[in-house]
Structures are given as C-alpha cells and as structure tokens.
Amino acid sequence: MSFARTVKDEIVKIRTDKDEQLAELSALLHLNTDIHLTSEGVHLEFHTNNPSIARRFFVLIKNMYEAKTEIISKKEMRLKKKSGYLVLVKSHVNKIMDEHSMVDQNSLEYEFLTETDEEKRAYLRGAFLASGSVNDPIKPTYHLELFVMNKTDAIFIQRLMNHFDLNAKITKRRQGLIVYLKESEAISAFLSAIGAVEAVFKFEDERIKRDFNNSINRLINIEIANEKKTIEAANEQLEDIELIKANKAFGTIDAKLKDTIRLREAYPEASLNELIEKYQEETGLKISKSGMNHRLLKIKALAEFIREGKK
C-alpha cells in the first residue's frame, strides 16, 4: 500500500461536526465531482478508486442534503478494467451546486464554508481525499500535491495551506494545476493539520532515519576526501624528499628536518596529527601542529629551490 493511500485510509475515518463535514464535502464536490445533464435531469457524479472515500462522500451527501444517492462500481459499468467507484447524486442537485458555488465559483461561498481553522482543515482534508498524493518518506525527494482543474480552486487551496504557514506553491500540470509542497517540515505540518496523526508519526520516523543516514554519508564522504588529501600531500612530500636526497642536499639540512624526513619515510600515509604522535613517541619531545607543518613546508621550499636551480 502506498503512503498516500495510508494517509487517506486514516483521515477518511475522522469524526467531525456538521460545519466541518460541509467544508470537507465542498472540497470533494469542487475537485472530484462532475455535473451531468441527462433526460432525467441534472445529476452529480463523484469519481474515486478508493471504496472508503466513495462511502465517505455517500455518507456526507446523505447527512447534509438527504439526497438520493447511488454507488456504482466501474467494473459493473464495464468502463475500465481498473477498479473504481462512481457515486451518483440524483436529487437536490441544484441546491447543492448553488450552496457550493460549483458553477459560478464564487470565492465568497468558499470563504463562508471555511471561516474557522477547523473548517479550513476539513476542506484541506477533503481536497487531499479528492485529488491528493504524497511521496513515501523513504523516497529520495519529499513531495505532496493536490491536483485541480481550474485556477480558482488552486488559489483558494493555496491560501488555505498558507494560512497554516506551509509555503504552498502552484504550477501547471497536464490539463490542470497542482498546489504542492516540497519541504519535509511543511508536508509533516499539512498531514498534522488534516488529522493524519499516525501518518505523521511514520513520516517523521522515516525522515529522522533518512536524515541520520544522510549525515552519516556526509561524514564518510568528508573522511574519504580528507584521507585523499592526506595521501596526496604525503606523496608530494615523499617526492620532495627523494629530490633532496638525489641532489645530495640531505647532508646540508639540520637535525630536526632530518628527523622529520625519516619520520615521513617511515610512515608514508600518516596524517599530520599521526606524524606528531609518532614524533613524540620516538623522540620523547613535544611538537605542535604548526611546528610540524613548518618543518614540512621547509622541506617543500628546499625541493622547490632545487627544481628552480635545475630550470
């Protein structure tokens, strides 16, 4: 089961009061319901592939309007091989369309149904049930979106989401628009706002695991990069030492540099800190990081002097 399906199966069971039910129903009507004119008159068709959502719409429309309603399986209609459900609303259609501004899309009607924070959350819950999707948190990218057919619905949903500081954005998609979230914190806050408590726990758990693994990988990459730099620096120092010895300059340098050269040759892959430890172990003398680095730079300078002389 997909993570989006898990979220929907959770929120479709939430108990709400009549004002919240009306707001949720309004989202389902706006985003996933078609108006049809037949010989028998006007009726509404709500489409979904989720039987729980079909039942939710059926119950809401019956509770709010006592409308004559029927659930039909798409397999029974032989329209598609893929399973799905069609909820037909055959009575009180004009009243429903008028109260939810399904034809003229009057934004004032939208606002009237979502005055409180609870009603705003209910509308967003209905919107997610109707056309929402969210990536599984184990995937490499975070993404939550709501698909809508027109600009009015897109802007209204964006406003509701941003009322909860989610930083929602809109972009074109196929024959419609999507209102989407990319930040993991915003997605978690949206799921919490629509009442998907268990989904939030799962999302946060996976996000923490993923962020932890990413941090470990970053540390490993940094360590590998540092080790590579250490080896490259050591190889350059060994080349400098070889040049100094080949040109008989080794006898002209002081005892401290000779000790450093012998140490580097004895431990060709050691880091600066490891060289310091080895130096103190073998000589019994203390040396600072800057002191050891200064000696290595003097060796490098001598090798460069020899190279310049050859040129």
Side-chain angles (χ1 to χ4, degrees):
M1 184 186 296
S2 70
F3 183 63
R5 179 65 179 261
T6 301
V7 174
K8 291 180 180 182
D9 284 350
E10 179 182 357
I11 63 176
V12 80
K13 301 171 186 174
I14 294 174
R15 293 185 177 182
T16 54
D17 62 27
K18 285 193 174 182
D19 290 335
E20 292 171 89
Q21 289 177 22
L22 195 61
E24 183 180 328
L25 174 62
S26 187
L28 294 169
L29 289 168
H30 284 134
L31 304 185
N32 218 14
T33 305
D34 297 326
I35 302 170
H36 284 275
L37 180 61
T38 68
S39 58
E40 297 178 359
V42 182
H43 69 265
L44 302 176
E45 293 184 358
F46 174 78
H47 305 265
T48 182
N49 293 323
N50 188 318
S52 297
I53 297 175
R55 286 194 296 272
R56 178 78 163 190
F57 180 84
F58 180 89
V59 170
L60 289 175
I61 206 79
K62 291 285 283 184
N63 287 348
M64 295 294 102
Y65 295 98
E66 297 182 354
K68 183 180 178 182
T69 311
E70 180 182 359
I71 299 179
I72 302 174
S73 168
K74 287 184 181 179
K75 280 187 176 180
E76 292 175 14
M77 297 172 66
R78 295 181 181 178
L79 295 177
K80 293 183 180 181
K81 291 183 180 179
K82 186 177 180 181
S83 62
Y85 302 89
L86 178 67
V87 184
L88 295 178
V89 182
K90 298 181 177 181
S91 66
H92 305 294
V93 174
N94 289 328
K95 180 181 180 182
I96 294 168
M97 290 193 300
D98 181 56
E99 290 187 0
H100 295 273
S101 193
M102 293 180 67
V103 178
D104 58 1
Q105 294 182 327
N106 186 342
S107 59
L108 292 177
E109 294 292 343
Y110 287 56
E111 299 286 352
F112 176 74
L113 293 171
T114 56
E115 290 181 331
T116 68
D117 281 0
E118 289 74 18
E119 290 163 359
K120 288 178 174 64
R121 292 189 182 96
Y123 192 98
L124 290 174
R125 182 163 53 248
F128 190 83
L129 289 173
S131 64
S133 64
V134 58
N135 282 2
D136 195 304
I138 65 173
K139 290 189 175 181
T141 56
Y142 296 111
H143 184 82
L144 181 146
E145 68 177 51
L146 301 172
F147 178 78
V148 300
M149 294 298 296
N150 61 75
K151 190 174 180 180
T152 301
D153 285 327
I155 292 173
F156 181 69
I157 290 171
Q158 182 191 38
R159 284 178 57 198
L160 290 185
M161 292 170 79
N162 289 343
H163 173 80
F164 298 104
D165 299 320
L166 301 181
N167 191 31
K169 295 183 173 67
I170 299 174
T171 189
K172 291 183 179 179
R173 171 74 62 82
R174 298 187 296 274
Q175 297 179 348
L177 301 151
I178 61 167
V179 187
Y180 68 93
L181 303 172
K182 287 286 188 184
E183 295 84 6
S184 58
E185 293 83 0
I187 293 172
S188 181
F190 176 87
L191 295 176
S192 178
I194 64 174
V197 178
E198 293 299 324
V200 171
F201 287 147
K202 181 181 178 182
F203 184 86
E204 288 297 329
D205 183 53
E206 292 295 340
R207 185 165 74 94
I208 290 168
K209 289 178 184 176
R210 185 171 146 195
D211 290 347
F212 176 76
N213 290 335
N214 288 341
S215 297
I216 294 296
N217 289 335
R218 280 194 295 271
L219 290 174
I220 291 171
N221 291 336
I222 290 170
E223 187 175 340
I224 291 171
N226 288 338
E227 187 175 344
K228 183 180 178 183
K229 288 179 182 179
T230 297
I231 293 171
E232 289 174 351
N235 288 337
E236 289 177 3
Q237 290 159 10
L238 289 169
E239 288 176 6
D240 291 340
I241 291 168
E242 185 179 351
L243 179 64
I244 290 169
K245 286 187 171 182
N247 286 270
K248 300 179 181 180
F250 185 75
T252 65
I253 61 179
D254 60 40
K256 291 181 179 180
L257 286 186
K258 287 179 181 178
D259 288 340
T260 304
I261 286 173
R262 292 191 189 100
L263 202 63
R264 171 48 80 197
E265 288 179 321
Y267 305 102
E269 295 183 358
S271 66
L272 186 62
N273 288 332
E274 289 169 341
L275 277 181
I276 292 170
E277 289 177 6
K278 294 297 181 182
Y279 180 82
Q280 292 176 171
E281 286 176 9
E282 296 183 10
T283 66
L285 300 173
K286 289 188 176 182
I287 185 171
S288 65
K289 193 171 183 178
S290 60
M292 178 61 75
N293 192 52
H294 179 68
R295 292 186 187 183
L296 293 171
L297 289 174
K298 287 182 74 174
I299 293 169
K300 181 178 179 65
L302 178 56
E304 289 297 327
F305 179 77
I306 295 170
R307 290 189 184 97
E308 290 297 322
K310 285 188 173 184
K311 289 181 182 178

